[in-house]
Amino acid sequence: MKTKLFLLFLLTSLLVSAQNEIWKKDLKKELYQVGWIKQTSDGNIIASGAKGLLAMNNNTGEILWHNKELKAVDKNTFLNIDGLPFFYVEYAPVVGKVRGIILNSSNGDIVFDTKDKGYRIKDYTLLQDKGIILFELLDNKKQKLMNFDLVKSQLNWIIDLGEVGNIFKKLAGSSFINHGPFFTSPNNLIIGIKDKVFAINFSNGEIVWKHKTKKKVNALVYSEKNNNLYVGIKKSSKLLVLNPDNGTDITPGKLKLRGELIDVTSNSNGDLILVETEGFNIINPETNLFKWK
């Protein structure tokens, strides 16, 4: 036992001694006291203190920028935008409401500022192929969706999606979207929030249609085979089929499930396979009727 402990101590000592110090930085002059440190997606180190917010190069320790106005930055609101140099934080200015800002970590530019509108970003979806980020916002108890253009670094639109129905979520990274977002056509964006399904015009943010169910939506699946939207409802054995273009209920009669809808996929024959909690069935995509009883 003593031999094992000695070997463990020796190995730990060797590892510690083998580590070389790359750089060291005293931030007392810049920040006085460092409150917290985070790292962004592009590797830069963000430090917050009594004298503002700054960024350092993680390889050299060089200070890239220092914003002395951002003094009361809330660590719990820090949200990295994966794959991009952007990050989001909230801070309390000397005068006015708490503000949310999106910064470029490489140069400190503020690319978006909620100012006095009271918006708070909770989560996001990066649509890289469209050059867009969809941000989920809270405005007091209202849920909102924001379309932000990455190329132009500008706001395209913000839409209202109704009130928050449960306890207010304080931390960033808490999505209120349960299903999606996904596209049924290049300009038709679909999302599901609790007991509602929304279709949004991606160009201007107009809500094209919305459908409310009696209980929470358990599954929301789009099939390209027949351009149909399949909706599974919590604790319901009825399958709902919607036309994604206008929200019309196109369910052929009452499609009874044995359990609750989990997923809809397809097989090599072109039929749709409906997967539920108690098994599966095959659907004819032209009629939406089950092939089995």
Side-chain angles (χ1 to χ4, degrees), residues 69-74 89-93 97-99 101 113:
E69 294 182 6
L70 305 179
K71 295 179 181 178
V73 179
D74 186 351
V89 286
E90 293 173 7
Y91 78 104
K97 299 178 181 178
V98 171
R99 294 166 73 161
I101 52 174
D113 189 342

Side-chain angles (χ1 to χ4, degrees), residues 197-231:
V197 180
F198 295 89
I200 301 164
N201 184 314
F202 188 67
S203 297
N204 58 23
E206 176 190 350
I207 295 177
V208 181
W209 59 262
K210 75 178 176 181
H211 185 95
K212 189 177 186 307
T213 58
K214 290 183 179 180
K215 292 183 179 179
K216 184 179 178 181
V217 174
N218 232 20
L220 185 63
V221 184
Y222 172 67
S223 172
E224 294 182 0
K225 289 282 183 183
N226 55 8
N227 189 37
N228 284 179
L229 196 60
Y230 294 89
V231 185

Side-chain angles (χ1 to χ4, degrees), residues 35 43 47 71 73 81 97 117 141 149 151 205-206 210 281:
K71 295 179 181 178
V73 179
I81 311 298
K97 299 178 181 178
K117 293 186 178 180
K141 289 188 177 181
D149 193 311
V151 179
E206 176 190 350
K210 75 178 176 181
N281 210 321

